Amino acid sequence: MMGSISIWAATRPRRPRPALEGDLRVDVVIVGAGITGLTAALLLAKTARSVAAIEARAVGAGDSGGSTGNLYQTVTGGLETLAAKCEADTARAVVASRGEAIAWIEQQAQAMGPSSGFRRCPMYQYPLSPDAEPTILGELKALRAAGLDAQLASEMPPGLPAAKGAVLLLSAQAQFHPIGYLHALALQAEHAGARLFENSPALELDLEVGVVRTRTGTAFGHHIVLATHSPLGFHLVQAGMAVRREYGLAFHEQAVPAGIFWAQAHPRLSVRGLEANGKHYLLCIGEHHETGRHDAAAALAQLERAAQEYLAVGSPVQRWSAQHFHSPDGLPYIGRDESGAFIATGFSTDGLVYGTVAAHIITDQIIGAQSRWSSLYLGSLQKTENIAR
Ligand SMILES: Cc1cc2nc3c(=O)[nH]c(=O)nc-3n(C[C@H](O)[C@H](O)[C@H](O)COP(=O)(O)OP(=O)(O)OC[C@H]3O[C@@H](n4cnc5c(N)ncnc54)[C@H](O)[C@@H]3O)c2cc1C
């Protein structure tokens, strides 16, 4: 039967947590239990800080659980585009910071066992129309300039669409089952001493006093981390970001080789395989659609047509959608702003890795440690000061 929840939520059972009740005093209150909030909860709890993560819905119910579960050093908008907007060494630093985050995820996944679904795999970028080939060749050049060992491959692996031009191959990227990983991460954070609360939307924040109020409880913290993906209603940084929606479809299929398969430019189609509960699935994510300016049913139908044309699949067994947020310069906003809150947003469709980077930066800032990457992403945050009040 067709579902409107993601394939990830449909293939991993969840373990419910209580809502926040009454008063709670901790060192750090984290609002949101996606990859950013849970990673920060684990890292901070390991430094012996008392931590509470307060989630409006359930662990992983946000974008992390609606993603494709791909972990790559490059960025969806293209490293060539990013390099053109930023200073000389920025693209190199971005891929290095993202590479460290993927290695950290791999370490956690090794302790989690198979439920995280983590595997190292190659990434392929290829054109589905000849006029998209220059994008692939531009990307190859930008990846190499940023220090990555990108190569040209002769063709796409079997079971994937035939390329209409050059195929870019980037080895040693990764993918996981995002909900499987987040559930295990939540357990690790709890094991380290963090407390997690679900069904507890933060309704009011007082950053001066350090208070987060929900319907049934109040959490007091020396530090407040807004790991809400978009700090909508709490922070004006939201006003400077473009918001787009993407749709996902899952099909029962023959096994697809492990890998990240991106058809670049037009049409845009991201494909990966998944093996869960003894079944094989093929997942497709399509074009970006401007939020509020498209027809959801038409967007889903367009993606289904593209999947059927290029992959000869049947009818989808699961469909879902999620939103992403884009900063003007293509870099996320991560760190402490003038109001004293810690924010982590503007991840585009790259936030499983950026969220992990963000949690490390914010943890370092809270505990007073040096972070190699904070100035890289704080620079972007400082540009928002005029709108962050
Ligand atoms: C279709 C799609 C595919 C994607 N694929 C990939 C991919 O393959 N790789 C990749 O790296 N990135 C991908 N992304 C992007 C990535 O999913 C996100 O950037 C990332 O998950 C953001 O993580 P987060 O923890 O910051 O936010 P979220 O996972 O959204 O978590 C935020 C949490 O905060 C909670 N919350 C919000 N407001 C409140 C409140 N007031 N009180 C309490 N809780 C609150 C939400 O319920 C949510 O659970 C994709 C995005 C989309 C849309």
Side-chain angles (χ1 to χ4, degrees):
M1 198 179 80
M2 174 78 76
S4 59
I5 57 169
S6 76
I7 188 68
W8 314 113
T11 50
R12 285 286 187 277
R14 61 177 290 261
R15 177 188 152 178
R17 269 117 187 144
L20 178 70
E21 303 274 356
D23 288 359
L24 179 71
R25 288 175 195 279
V26 286
D27 294 324
V28 187
V29 181
I30 297 170
V31 186
I35 198 161
T36 308
L38 290 173
T39 307
L42 171 62
L43 292 171
L44 286 160
K46 280 188 166 173
T47 69
R49 265 63 176 184
S50 55
V51 182
I54 295 171
E55 164 57 44
R57 294 175 285 163
V59 162
D63 243 42
S64 301
S67 70
T68 322
N70 289 328
L71 307 166
Y72 39 82
Q73 284 177 271
T74 183
V75 292
T76 320
L79 212 58
E80 191 186 20
T81 308
L82 182 73
K85 282 185 184 176
C86 298
E87 287 163 18
D89 281 343
T90 301
R92 185 173 275 272
V94 164
V95 301
S97 68
R98 290 176 60 82
E100 277 184 15
I102 297 169
W104 186 87
I105 291 172
E106 183 171 25
Q107 262 179 13
Q108 308 315 304
Q110 278 161 359
M112 289 170 181
S115 68
S116 75
F118 183 93
R119 59 189 182 186
R120 283 284 178 178
C121 65
M123 166 185 249
Y124 289 81
Q125 298 189 30
Y126 64 103
L128 276 175
S129 62
D131 60 352
E133 189 180 39
T135 306
I136 304 295
L137 295 175
E139 218 36 36
L140 179 75
K141 210 168 147 197
L143 291 171
R144 287 178 173 168
L148 293 174
D149 182 22
Q151 303 293 334
L152 282 177
S154 51
E155 56 185 9
M156 293 294 289
L160 277 303
K164 296 282 191 314
V167 176
L168 182 163
L169 169 62
L170 187 59
S171 309
Q173 305 304 295
Q175 54 196 183
F176 64 7
H177 187 302
I179 289 281
Y181 176 78
L182 287 193
H183 284 178
L185 198 62
L187 288 176
Q188 286 186 343
E190 286 173 321
H191 186 67
R195 298 184 63 188
L196 308 186
F197 300 95
E198 294 184 327
N199 298 310
S200 302
L203 302 176
E204 207 185 314
L205 293 185
D206 185 334
L207 294 170
E208 272 174 28
V209 188
V211 179
V212 177
R213 290 196 181 82
T214 71
R215 257 192 315 270
T216 53
T218 305
F220 298 84
H222 300 304
H223 304 285
I224 295 183
V225 179
L226 294 176
T228 49
H229 194 200
S230 147
L232 182 61
F234 297 130
H235 201 294
L236 282 175
V237 69
Q238 167 76 24
M241 291 190 288
V243 191
R244 303 198 185 110
R245 183 166 286 277
E246 270 185 294
Y247 295 83
L249 295 173
F251 301 87
H252 276 312
E253 275 309 315
Q254 302 295 323
V256 177
I260 301 168
F261 304 105
W262 283 359
Q264 285 288 34
H266 299 293
R268 185 178 183 276
L269 192 66
S270 165
V271 174
R272 69 162 281 188
L274 165 71
E275 190 184 346
N277 309 331
K279 290 185 181 147
H280 290 288
Y281 298 91
L282 181 151
L283 316 188
C284 285
I285 310 288
E287 305 282 348
H288 292 182
H289 301 274
E290 217 176 313
T291 295
R293 288 172 178 255
H294 70 277
D295 179 316
L300 267 168
Q302 179 195 355
L303 176 59
E304 196 171 331
R305 274 196 307 277
Q308 282 158 354
E309 178 181 348
Y310 294 110
L311 294 149
V313 288
S315 297
V317 290
Q318 216 69 42
R319 61 179 177 180
W320 69 96
S321 74
Q323 293 197 131
H324 34 89
F325 300 87
H326 300 251
S327 70
D329 67 2
L331 287 174
Y333 302 120
I334 300 171
R336 184 178 200 151
D337 78 349
E338 279 188 344
S339 71
F342 293 86
I343 69 166
T345 190
F347 292 156
S348 176
T349 48
D350 306 316
L352 296 173
V353 177
Y354 273 144
T356 306
V357 172
H360 279 82
I361 291 175
I362 288 171
T363 299
D364 284 343
Q365 290 176 346
I366 288 176
I367 68 174
Q370 279 289 335
S371 162
R372 265 178 88 195
W373 309 118
S374 70
S375 60
L376 178 63
Y377 300 111
L378 198 61
S380 187
L381 182 61
Q382 278 159 352
K383 286 183 209 146
T384 72
E385 279 178 3
N386 58 340
I387 57 164
R389 298 268 66 82

